[in-house]
Amino acid sequence: MTIEAALRGRIARTSDRAALRRASLVFDAGYGGAWTVELRRGEATLSKGRARGADATIFSDASTMKSVLEGRLAGVQAFLDGRLFLRGNIALALELDDLLPPAVRDPRAPRCHRVVADGLQSFYLEAGQRGAPPVVLLHGLGATGASFLPTLWDLSRDHHVLAVDLPGFGESDKPVRPLHAAYFAKWLVSFLDAVALDRAHLIGNSMGGRI
């Protein structure tokens, strides 16, 4: 299967979630060619070449790109192995498997979700099997849940992992109010209720550790 055929296969499986997104993604395989996917009003279109001003660009060699698009290799694994690179909106690139699902998906590959917690649209990554011991990852100042990708990937072997974008960061809502540890702790209680977790292990980096 060629890269273009793999992309057309993904477009044929466009999910309902794509109706909520308006975006362009470039898939750049270097000498292997480049293609642009446009998401508009729930429809996905494919064209050859690199669109200017794309929201996200995914770079890799042709073999890696094809394996990722076919679902035989998780994109996050290729990224962590240094075989795939991103430019632009990393959250959009991570959401690719939810917008244009592959035929096969590794349960450790991050799944993107949004829930309302403490009145705010809150974005998080989920990986691993539900029912496994739950772990919530809390990022530091100026970061997002994506900064925990290596930790998420490793822990998802035997844990149910959620990496949040705290309020004011990443894809989550940006409330106009002081953001401090006590407020984030209050939000976190609401978030755990929203995702139906009674208890969870918490791992925080820097500011996340204060929460």
Side-chain angles (χ1 to χ4, degrees):
M1 181 183 293
T2 64
I3 293 174
E4 183 168 338
L7 280 166
R8 292 195 182 281
R10 296 287 287 262
I11 287 173
R13 292 185 293 272
T14 300
S15 72
D16 293 341
R17 288 179 60 167
L20 304 175
R21 297 305 299 258
R22 181 181 176 89
S24 60
L25 300 97
V26 170
F27 298 82
D28 191 332
Y31 293 117
W35 294 263
T36 299
V37 172
E38 299 276 352
L39 296 174
R40 297 288 185 273
R41 299 193 180 104
E43 295 184 357
T45 58
L46 177 67
S47 60
K48 289 187 177 181
R50 305 167 179 85
R52 300 180 70 178
D55 297 291
T57 301
I58 300 171
F59 303 91
S60 75
D61 62 87
S63 176
T64 298
M65 185 74 77
K66 191 159 74 75
S67 295
V68 169
L69 291 171
E70 292 174 353
R72 293 185 290 107
L73 173 65
V76 67
Q77 181 179 4
F79 175 75
L80 294 174
D81 288 345
R83 298 164 58 189
L84 181 147
F85 306 90
L86 301 173
R87 183 172 65 203
N89 187 335
I90 188 172
L92 175 62
L94 288 168
E95 199 171 4
L96 177 64
D97 285 353
D98 298 302
L99 299 171
L100 306 174
V104 180
R105 187 168 184 177
D106 190 322
R108 294 172 63 197
R111 306 176 292 277
C112 299
H113 302 286
R114 291 171 176 82
V115 296
V116 176
D118 200 34
L120 302 174
Q121 281 286 334
S122 304
F123 179 88
Y124 68 99
L125 303 174
E126 177 188 32
Q129 298 285 358
R130 294 175 185 177
V135 179
V136 177
L137 307 178
L138 305 168
H139 63 77
L141 183 65
T144 69
S147 65
F148 268 116
L149 282 177
T151 307
L152 178 144
W153 180 251
D154 287 342
L155 286 178
S156 62
R157 289 189 180 92
D158 49 13
H159 289 77
H160 177 207
V161 188
L162 288 75
V164 304
D165 281 4
L166 292 167
F169 298 88
E171 298 295 301
S172 291
D173 280 350
K174 316 293 190 290
V176 182
R177 55 150 300 135
L179 301 176
H180 46 68
Y183 167 70
F184 287 133
K186 175 175 173 287
W187 170 86
L188 179 58
V189 171
S190 179
F191 174 80
L192 292 174
D193 287 341
V195 297
L197 287 179
D198 293 329
R199 300 174 64 87
H201 300 285
L202 304 178
I203 298 177
N205 174 55
S206 189
M207 180 188 72
R210 294 187 62 199
I211 300 171

